[in-house]
């Protein structure tokens, strides 16, 4: 398949880049969207995520989060028992009882997400109607929303997409008369968010908002003069919902590494008329710090071959960073879904002969990986141990979502995440 791509401002003269993409459908290995709760519940500080599902879902969440015995996290599971599925109990009454008990025990909750672990027809419960009913009961103290994290309907990071899309109808509205504002969309660690806010302020862009906000009473307003920029590449539904409210997307690469961060910031700066000289003055210190931090780590990665299995949808921006800034060779770059419009700037910066794959047929992809025997394999937890047993060096893709990796000050940390497995393997061989 040939994909025409327009390059970003850093990719040279205007041209199209053609890729031969392997499109596969078959057995696949990827976490379900429930796992996105692990970083979302840390981000939205007064929210609680109630998974309506089975004991299996509860065990998955506890395992993914590494919940300790004394921890009191802001997520839980409303278990669906056999009697519920058999229709012997009124599922809505049971859910109402669980929610009432939860809110009584945790009065600090201001936003409650009902997260479906399976489609409505499987759990025999319409969570959208349930959320509407419960919201009417508990407003204004608690706002109740719902979204799906079902592994049948979502993969790994798509849980964040469906969550943020559910938040969009709740956002305050602005009109044509309101001044232009910048909306950064996608969960970022607080320290990264603070760094970006400071850089934007130094450029003179002061009205910067974030989705998700840190608290439910700080939801950003959106309107025709909102310019939004994606911080994550997996927010398709959310982006569509924002555009339906009149917001305009700023095309940009994603803020991974020096190059990605600079072009991401430049897209916002250009949209708000920042003087190029001021932009250079603001970004130069960060660029220099990042380049110094990257220098010694890139030596560990230069010339190493990497194979990325589809999991987080971060694979293409990661591949661009690892190739252009760390000198790695790309054996295959897999992604669950390829959103050509949102990733156009990223694709334009990849080598023209990059092997891209969309979707997955696990057996075929494993065969290609084994045949290539790359130096590093990026994959999910389910594949990592078997591949390690075969002598390959792996990097867990889930860690790339949990760890702050965006921005200048995290560029060296991002590279080090890939260098560490290689250094560990080298020590084991000694």
């Amino acid at each position: 398949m040939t994909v025409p791509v327009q390059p970003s401002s850093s990719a040279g003269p205007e041209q199209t880049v053609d890729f031969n993409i392997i499109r596969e459908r078959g057995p696949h290995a990827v976490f379900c969207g429930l796992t996105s709760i692990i970083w979302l519940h840390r981000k939205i500080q007064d929210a609680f995520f109630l998974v309506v599902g089975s004991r299996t879902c509860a065990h998955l969440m506890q395992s993914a989060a590494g919940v300790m015995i004394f921890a009191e996290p802001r997520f839980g599971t409303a278990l669906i028992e056999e009697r519920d599925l058999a229709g012997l109990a009124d599922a809505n009454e049971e859910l109402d009882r669980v929610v009432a008990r939860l809110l009584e025990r945790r009065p600090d909750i201001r936003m409650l997400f009902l997260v479906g672990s399976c489609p409505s027809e499987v759990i025999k419960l319409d969570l959208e109607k349930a959320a509407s009913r419960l919201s009417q009961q508990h407003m204004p103290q608690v706002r109740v929303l719902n979204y799906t994290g079902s592994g049948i309907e979502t993969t790994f990071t798509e849980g964040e997409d469906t969550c943020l899309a559910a938040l969009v109808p709740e956002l305050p509205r602005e009109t044509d008369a309101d001044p232009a504002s910048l909306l950064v969309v996608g969960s970022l660690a607080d320290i990264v968010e603070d760094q970006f806010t400071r850089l934007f302020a130094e450029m003179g862009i002061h009205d910067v908002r974030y989705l998700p906000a840190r608290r439910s009473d700080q939801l950003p307003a959106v309107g025709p003069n909102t310019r939004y920029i994606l911080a994550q590449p997996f927010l398709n539904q959310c982006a569509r919902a924002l555009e339906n409210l009149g917001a305009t997307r700023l095309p940009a690469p994603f803020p991974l590494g020096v190059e990605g961060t600079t072009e991401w910031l430049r897209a916002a700066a250009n949209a708000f008329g920042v003087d190029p000289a001021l932009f250079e003055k603001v970004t130069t210190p960060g660029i220099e710090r990042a380049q110094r931090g990257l220098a010694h780590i890139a030596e560990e990665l230069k010339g190493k071959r990497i194979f990325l299995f589809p999991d987080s949808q971060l694979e293409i921006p990661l591949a661009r960073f690892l190739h252009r800034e760390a000198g790695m060779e790309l054996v295959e770059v897999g992604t669950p879904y390829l959103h050509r419009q949102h990733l156009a700037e990223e694709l334009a910066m990849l080598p023209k002969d990059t092997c891209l794959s969309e979707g997955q047929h696990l057996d075929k992809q494993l065969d290609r990986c084994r045949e290539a025997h790359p130096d590093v394999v990026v994959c999910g937890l389910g594949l990592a141990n078997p591949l390690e047993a075969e002598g390959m060096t792996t990097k867990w893709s889930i860690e790339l979502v949990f760890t702050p990796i965006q921005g200048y000050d995290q560029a060296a940390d991002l590279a080090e995440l890939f260098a560490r497995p290689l250094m560990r393997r080298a020590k084991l061989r000694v």
Side-chain angles (χ1 to χ4, degrees):
M1 173 176 290
T2 298
V3 184
V5 179
Q6 293 300 321
S8 73
S9 57
S10 65
E14 190 166 318
Q15 58 184 350
T16 59
V17 182
D18 295 338
F19 291 98
N20 289 318
I21 299 177
I22 302 169
R23 297 193 65 200
E24 294 184 321
R25 294 294 180 268
H28 58 279
V30 65
F31 268 147
C32 70
L34 290 178
T35 43
S36 62
I37 291 171
I38 306 304
W39 63 88
L40 286 168
H41 94 280
R42 295 174 183 170
K43 184 64 186 178
I44 312 175
Q45 298 167 4
D46 58 355
F48 192 97
F49 294 79
L50 184 63
V51 179
V52 182
S54 66
R55 294 186 190 278
T56 303
C57 301
H59 293 154
L60 167 67
M61 295 303 299
Q62 289 175 333
S63 298
V67 180
M68 296 186 298
I69 190 169
F70 296 114
E72 191 171 26
R74 283 178 290 103
F75 63 85
T77 307
L79 297 177
I80 298 175
E81 308 283 4
E82 290 180 7
R83 62 197 293 268
D84 301 315
L85 293 174
L88 300 178
D90 187 307
N92 284 292
E93 287 183 8
E94 292 283 302
L95 182 61
D96 289 5
R97 179 182 58 80
V98 169
V99 168
R101 196 164 119 205
L102 169 65
L103 296 180
E104 181 181 359
R105 182 169 174 255
R106 303 287 293 272
D108 55 310
I109 297 171
R110 290 293 175 266
M111 180 175 286
L112 175 63
F113 289 98
L114 304 180
V115 188
S117 70
C118 297
S120 298
E121 58 268 27
V122 175
I123 62 175
K124 307 295 192 293
L125 185 60
D126 188 330
L127 286 182
E128 185 176 358
K129 289 183 178 179
S132 177
R133 182 184 69 252
L134 287 164
S135 203
Q136 290 176 10
Q137 290 177 17
H138 296 285
M139 284 286 282
Q141 287 80 13
V142 182
R143 182 180 301 165
V144 184
L145 304 174
N146 86 287
Y147 71 91
T148 180
S150 163
I152 298 173
E153 299 169 293
T154 63
T155 60
F156 192 16
T157 51
E158 284 184 294
E160 178 176 337
D161 188 20
T162 55
C163 175
L164 299 191
L167 267 177
V168 171
E170 306 297 317
L171 303 181
R173 301 292 193 271
E174 290 188 331
T175 67
D176 292 335
D178 291 297
S181 62
L182 176 63
L183 178 62
V184 178
V185 182
S187 290
L188 294 169
D190 289 351
I191 186 171
V192 176
E193 189 176 294
D194 292 341
Q195 290 166 2
F196 284 148
T197 300
R198 185 172 62 251
L199 288 169
F200 286 131
E202 289 174 4
M203 295 179 202
I205 307 173
H206 297 285
D207 193 358
V208 182
R209 306 160 188 186
Y210 292 86
L211 181 68
R214 298 184 191 184
R215 296 187 58 83
S216 61
D217 59 358
Q218 298 172 348
L219 292 179
V222 177
N225 292 325
T226 301
R227 305 292 178 263
Y228 79 90
I229 189 165
L230 294 175
Q232 303 287 7
F234 43 74
L235 301 174
N236 306 333
Q237 289 187 48
C238 180
R240 217 166 28 241
L242 288 169
E243 288 168 12
N244 288 339
L245 297 181
T248 302
R249 184 177 69 90
L250 303 179
F254 293 89
L256 300 182
V258 178
E259 186 176 35
T261 300
T262 302
E263 294 308 310
W264 187 81
L265 291 168
R266 193 191 308 278
N270 289 343
F272 284 82
V274 175
D275 183 84
L278 176 59
F279 177 82
E280 185 175 352
K281 178 183 176 182
V282 170
T283 56
T284 294
I287 291 171
E288 292 176 348
R289 281 197 311 273
Q291 288 175 338
R292 285 196 299 271
L294 274 169
H296 72 284
I297 302 172
E299 287 302 312
E300 297 285 341
L301 298 174
K302 188 175 181 180
K304 298 295 192 299
R305 300 165 67 248
I306 189 165
F307 191 111
L308 295 99
F309 277 84
D311 201 35
S312 66
Q313 296 189 60
L314 286 167
E315 292 85 9
I316 289 174
L318 286 170
R320 180 264 304 158
F321 163 72
L322 291 169
H323 175 71
R324 291 171 70 99
E325 297 187 46
M328 297 193 79
E329 296 180 16
L330 307 176
V331 177
E332 182 172 322
V333 182
T335 185
Y337 304 103
L338 179 58
H339 195 296
R340 289 151 180 77
Q341 187 178 18
H342 289 177
L343 288 166
E345 288 71 28
E346 294 285 358
L347 290 167
M349 289 191 277
L350 288 179
K352 199 172 179 182
D353 60 351
T354 301
C355 178
L356 296 176
S357 62
E358 181 182 15
Q360 188 176 45
H361 189 296
L362 183 57
D363 295 334
K364 293 179 180 179
Q365 194 164 42
L366 280 170
D367 288 343
R368 295 196 299 272
C369 182
R370 289 178 178 125
E371 183 180 357
H373 203 86
D375 297 293
V376 183
V377 178
V378 181
C379 59
L381 295 172
L383 295 177
N385 284 348
L387 290 175
E388 288 278 349
E390 294 180 23
M392 296 194 197
T393 301
T394 64
K395 173 80 240 163
W396 294 351
S397 55
I398 194 170
E399 190 178 356
L400 298 164
V401 183
F402 291 169
T403 307
I405 58 173
Q406 293 85 5
Y408 293 128
D409 293 326
Q410 285 67 238
D413 296 336
L414 175 57
E416 193 173 6
L417 288 175
F418 296 90
R420 263 189 232 140
L422 289 167
M423 292 187 283
R424 182 188 68 234
R425 175 72 67 176
K427 289 178 181 178
L428 290 173
R429 285 173 179 162
V430 173

